Amino acid sequence: MTVIYPSPIFGPVHSRRLGVSLGINLLPSDGKVCSFDCIYCECGFNTDHRPTKALPTREEVREALEVRLKDMKVNGPSPDVLTFAGNGEPTAHPHFPEIIEDTLLLRDKYFPEAKVSVLSNSTFIHRPSVFEALNKVDNNILKLDTVDENYIHLVDRPAGKYSVSEIIELLKEFKGNCIIQTMFMKGNYLDKEVDNTSDKYVLPWLEAVKAITPRQVMIYTIDRETPDHDLQKASHEELDRIATLVKETGIPVSVSY
């Protein structure tokens, strides 16, 4: 079943990786807007879920977030994290940097111990204002599924121009202040194998991770139903093997099975 999130606030949900997470969706509530069209996305393919509603405004996000945080202050639960996620790429919102400023202020006011996280596919980090905003949050969780250009275009299916080598250079600019997130999976898509758990994919990816020097790597596999049904989870053993390789570099790693 495809998941389309309410906008601008949803949850809290219990996140495998982040704990009690209050979601912030900067995309329309009736569809998906993303610069990737990943074959494993729980929100489905872009073409299947074209939104008719507008993006929430900065003011709408701020007001809805404050109402929800006030309610959680009185009635619970306390959030571990405020997470920018939802129906597509949050950094695509034209007022993403200003919304981050608002969110940090509201977090400090109501739940100063909570973290602010952004789940991003890294496609807008070339914009200085987006890069700067991502540097201000507690957890900027940035996608790098592989360093193989063909695999990216088959699986992540970026819209428009995309260069994985350029993305890696931009990720290095965070100077360690970032978290790299990678989806490992198996199966087939359009009669092509999409298994990125073998050394052919893992070892070049590991070299890129070492060059980026993130403060953490998050590796995960398929958890919910995917729009393409020939995809399979990576096994515990495969994920553990990859995690061990990351640990050997000295970079902390978490695994979500």
Side-chain angles (χ1 to χ4, degrees):
M1 192 181 100
T2 298
V3 181
I4 295 293
Y5 291 94
S7 176
I9 307 299
F10 62 93
V13 296
H14 189 81
S15 161
R16 285 188 294 170
R17 288 162 283 172
L18 304 170
V20 177
S21 170
L22 184 66
I24 304 170
N25 173 26
L26 301 187
L27 290 312
S29 59
D30 66 336
K32 185 182 167 207
V33 179
C34 197
S35 48
F36 272 5
D37 194 11
C38 298
I39 63 173
Y40 58 76
C41 182
E42 63 185 28
C43 297
F45 290 130
N46 293 352
T47 48
D48 296 337
H49 301 283
R50 295 278 185 217
T52 57
K53 295 182 179 175
L55 298 173
T57 65
R58 174 187 179 180
E59 292 70 27
E60 284 168 346
V61 175
R62 185 179 62 230
E63 286 166 17
L65 179 59
E66 184 154 31
V67 166
R68 194 74 186 87
L69 291 175
K70 277 181 179 171
D71 178 68
M72 292 172 87
K73 196 78 184 165
V74 174
N75 300 308
S78 295
D80 296 310
V81 62
L82 312 179
T83 307
F84 285 83
N87 305 334
E89 175 52 36
T91 65
H93 193 291
H95 296 292
F96 174 76
E98 295 88 347
I99 291 169
I100 289 293
E101 293 288 341
D102 295 342
T103 302
L104 291 170
L105 288 170
L106 289 170
R107 183 275 307 270
D108 293 347
K109 181 175 177 182
Y110 292 102
F111 291 100
E113 67 288 352
K115 306 290 187 195
V116 173
S117 297
V118 178
L119 299 176
S120 171
N121 64 22
S122 311
T123 51
F124 291 100
I125 58 175
H126 63 281
R127 294 181 178 172
S129 61
V130 169
F131 183 89
E132 202 177 305
L134 287 170
N135 249 321
K136 291 176 182 171
V137 302
D138 300 289
N139 302 312
N140 51 7
I141 302 169
L142 304 171
K143 177 176 291 299
L144 183 67
D145 282 344
T146 173
V147 299
D148 185 288
E149 202 82 53
N150 291 329
Y151 186 95
I152 292 268
H153 281 89
L154 176 66
V155 171
D156 293 343
R157 306 195 307 167
K161 181 176 166 287
Y162 179 90
S163 161
V164 72
S165 57
E166 284 176 19
I167 292 290
I168 290 165
E169 290 307 308
L170 288 163
L171 289 168
K172 288 183 194 173
E173 292 297 313
F174 283 98
K175 303 198 180 339
N177 182 34
C178 65
I179 296 170
I180 295 297
Q181 178 194 64
T182 302
M183 162 69 80
F184 288 101
M185 64 179 185
K186 298 185 294 185
N188 293 282
Y189 179 66
L190 301 178
D191 296 324
K192 291 181 181 163
E193 189 179 60
V194 293
D195 182 344
N196 65 335
T197 64
S198 66
D199 282 350
K200 174 189 172 186
Y201 292 102
V202 171
L203 296 182
W205 166 84
L206 190 64
E207 289 307 307
V209 168
K210 281 156 57 175
I212 294 164
T213 66
R215 57 187 175 85
Q216 186 187 349
V217 171
M218 291 180 169
I219 65 176
Y220 69 126
T221 192
I222 294 163
D223 183 43
R224 298 190 177 96
E225 188 176 337
T226 60
D228 185 87
H229 298 295
D230 293 326
L231 308 179
Q232 298 154 21
K233 290 169 81 85
S235 69
H236 283 215
E237 293 74 22
E238 286 159 332
L239 292 174
D240 287 342
R241 181 186 85 86
I242 296 163
T244 299
L245 292 172
V246 177
K247 276 179 199 151
E248 286 169 356
T249 71
I251 298 168
V253 60
S254 65
V255 184
S256 299
Y257 299 105

